[in-house]
Amino acid sequence: MPGMLIGVVGPSGAGKDTLMAGARAALDGDARFRFVRRSITRPAEAGGEDHLPLSPEEFEARRVTGGFALWWEAHGLRYGIPADIGADLAAGRVVVANLSRTVLAGAAARLPLLVLEISAPIEVLAARLAARGREAAADIAARLAREAPLPAGLRVARVMNDGPAEAGVAAVLAVLRGAAAQESG
């Protein structure tokens, strides 16, 4: 039975990385799940998520040889999800990957997809972004105004991350375990 790709999306400041790290730790050793490490044309020392750093040339070489199941460009960088997720899906696993909204419709056309949208109220997002200290208030407001709606017709599970991190992790785990139970049932 084919597995399920869980495409995690949400605005900056929603706490996606925090919730996904908690879910990954809770599911460590559970062979039903794979949390994907993305390839990004960003040096490893640049910070942010744990990723496979690739030069633009290395990324392009992998892309043209079919090394990515999904790929996109955003904010001057290129992002890729490895093609080997196909074997995980064929084995019935739940594959969890941080995706861009721009690839959701194409992913849903080719793969069994459930979108996990993690968000928070706008005032919470603004406060979290301000606390990072990376952007001016005007830039934060512009970033929050840019958020686009999800493409129509997708299966979507939503988690509102506006309370303690533990509550958000529990909500994410419920979605992931529900997907795994659906795939094995």
Side-chain angles (χ1 to χ4, degrees):
M1 174 170 276
M4 174 74 60
L5 173 61
I6 307 290
V8 181
V9 299
S12 294
K16 296 182 301 291
D17 291 341
T18 299
L19 298 190
M20 296 319 297
R24 185 181 306 109
L27 296 171
D28 187 40
D30 189 331
R32 297 176 300 165
F33 300 93
R34 175 183 175 188
F35 288 81
V36 174
R37 185 174 177 224
R38 300 191 297 182
S39 296
I40 307 176
T41 56
R42 175 174 60 207
E45 60 275 5
E49 72 180 87
D50 177 28
H51 66 282
L52 176 62
L54 296 177
S55 70
E57 296 78 19
E58 291 168 324
F59 190 99
E60 183 61 12
R62 286 193 189 190
R63 187 190 70 74
V64 300
T65 59
F68 297 119
L70 301 166
W71 69 274
W72 63 95
E73 296 181 37
H75 313 295
L77 299 172
R78 296 176 92 187
Y79 297 78
I81 303 299
D84 67 2
I85 67 166
D88 292 298
L89 294 172
R93 290 189 186 87
V94 173
V95 176
V96 184
N98 192 346
L99 298 180
S100 166
R101 292 170 188 263
T102 63
V103 299
L104 294 176
R110 298 183 7 246
L111 303 165
L113 176 70
L114 172 66
V115 177
L116 173 54
E117 183 178 39
I118 299 173
S119 194
I122 195 96
E123 60 275 4
V124 172
L125 297 174
R128 288 176 181 164
L129 291 173
R132 290 181 183 174
R134 293 186 225 157
E135 296 174 288
D139 294 330
I140 291 171
R143 175 186 289 272
L144 293 174
R146 276 196 309 263
E147 286 304 319
L150 293 172
L154 299 176
R155 290 182 48 214
V156 180
R158 290 184 170 85
V159 170
M160 185 57 65
N161 185 26
D162 57 353
E166 297 78 22
V169 170
V172 167
L173 286 169
V175 171
L176 299 181
R177 288 180 173 138
Q182 181 180 359
E183 294 312 306
S184 64

